[in-house]
Amino acid sequence: MPFVLHTAESRGHANHGWLDSHHTFSFANYYDSDRMNFGVLRVLNDDVVSEARGFGTHPHNNMEIISIPLEGDLQHMDSMGNSAIIRQGDVQVMSAGSGIQHSEYNKNPDKPVKFLQIWMFPNKQNVEPRYDQISLKDIERKSVFYQILSPNKQDQGVWVHQDAWFHLGDFDSGSSETYTLKKKSNGVYIFVLDGEALINNQSLGKRDGYGIWEIDGFTIESKKRSKVLVMEVPMAL
């Protein structure tokens, strides 16, 4: 079973004062030729934005962009006319397609906002740009994986232009769960948001990343209360 292990401390790091960011894959001034992507998963940034600060208006194209707030409130505005606030317990998706401009700001004047910024290469080029966000409160479940993203508009969660499935799991200490891949040619990148877990005899701690492929599935064992994001993605670009 081929795998890659990216420990939390091995990630790229940039502190711009208003933005403290850890990069699992090469991004901006952080470059590692061995860490360009995991299949179509191109960016996994763990961002902390200071009070009342943020990203000014900037462009994207032909990328599926997913934001998952972990703490605080993030205000989004874009060239399609969308203005929204995403909070802990939400997930946001933006298909940049033929081109979009957007900005993201910390809505809170008194506390930082923490969120994951994830980019995936799409399987369709120059599509019409699209924005969506949902609350996970009605679909989250305890000690099992629950789906938050898929390629299908009718499925649970948001959808993307890619054969990818994302699941979250909030596991009690001592619990276990098996994940079965939706598509045999895909791989899975597992990112531990909090806690400690064991996957295929590999011990993972907070903010560790573990990518595996050429498998049918895996079993996770939670060593202490753990929150885990599973990103199943095509391995071929």
Side-chain angles (χ1 to χ4, degrees), residues 84-95:
I85 297 173
I86 54 173
R87 299 177 170 86
Q88 180 182 1
D90 293 345
V91 60
Q92 176 202 74
V93 65
M94 188 170 65
S95 298

Side-chain angles (χ1 to χ4, degrees), residues 5-233:
L5 174 64
H6 300 140
T7 59
E9 64 271 15
S10 73
R11 297 177 297 171
H13 181 225
N15 192 333
H16 303 284
W18 65 273
L19 170 67
D20 190 4
S21 184
H22 287 85
H23 313 307
T24 293
F25 304 109
S26 294
F27 187 86
N29 292 328
Y30 167 61
Y31 176 78
D32 183 335
S33 60
D34 293 326
R35 294 176 68 158
M36 295 302 298
N37 58 287
F38 179 81
V40 303
L41 182 61
R42 175 61 189 89
V43 169
L44 174 55
N45 286 352
D46 185 5
D47 289 344
V48 181
V49 180
S50 296
E51 299 86 336
R53 299 293 299 273
F55 303 89
T57 302
H58 58 281
H60 292 284
N61 63 75
N62 290 317
M63 195 68 71
E64 300 294 302
I65 300 171
I66 301 98
S67 296
I68 304 176
L70 304 176
E71 293 181 23
D73 306 323
L74 191 67
Q75 185 171 22
H76 165 96
M77 298 183 70
D78 63 45
S79 54
M80 294 182 290
N82 295 300
S83 178
I85 297 173
I86 54 173
R87 299 177 170 86
Q88 180 182 1
D90 293 345
V91 60
Q92 176 202 74
V93 65
M94 188 170 65
S95 298
S98 58
I100 191 173
Q101 296 196 31
H102 79 133
S103 62
E104 294 167 300
Y105 284 93
N106 182 351
K107 179 68 174 174
N108 307 118
D110 57 350
K111 61 181 179 181
V113 62
K114 301 178 182 180
F115 74 106
L116 298 183
Q117 181 183 175
I118 302 165
W119 297 6
M120 285 192 299
F121 295 114
N123 57 16
K124 296 179 182 178
Q125 296 289 302
N126 298 317
V127 298
E128 182 179 353
R130 179 182 62 91
Y131 174 88
D132 193 18
Q133 74 178 73
I134 63 168
S135 170
L136 302 176
K137 298 190 188 306
D138 293 334
I139 62 176
E140 61 186 357
R141 299 170 62 194
K142 193 68 175 174
S143 293
V144 296
F145 288 119
Y146 59 93
Q147 182 176 287
I148 65 169
L149 176 148
S150 81
N152 307 308
K153 298 178 184 179
Q154 295 79 19
D155 277 4
Q156 178 173 286
V158 295
W159 67 275
V160 290
H161 294 285
Q162 189 51 270
D163 290 330
W165 288 263
F166 286 13
H167 288 71
L168 277 171
D170 187 355
F171 297 100
D172 289 327
S173 178
S175 63
S176 65
E177 170 76 342
T178 297
Y179 180 90
T180 302
L181 269 69
K182 307 290 187 182
K183 194 171 180 179
K184 191 173 180 62
S185 59
N186 282 356
V188 286
Y189 194 88
I190 301 136
F191 190 64
V192 179
L193 297 173
D194 205 2
E196 183 180 331
L198 188 68
I199 298 174
N200 295 344
N201 295 318
Q202 177 64 57
S203 180
L204 301 171
K206 184 176 180 179
R207 296 313 204 258
D208 287 345
Y210 183 55
I212 47 180
W213 62 102
E214 296 180 13
I215 57 167
D216 295 322
F218 66 88
T219 298
I220 183 170
E221 301 174 50
S222 183
K223 296 304 181 182
K224 59 174 70 172
R225 183 172 179 181
S226 304
K227 192 164 187 178
V228 179
L229 173 65
V230 173
M231 294 166 279
E232 177 182 338
V233 297

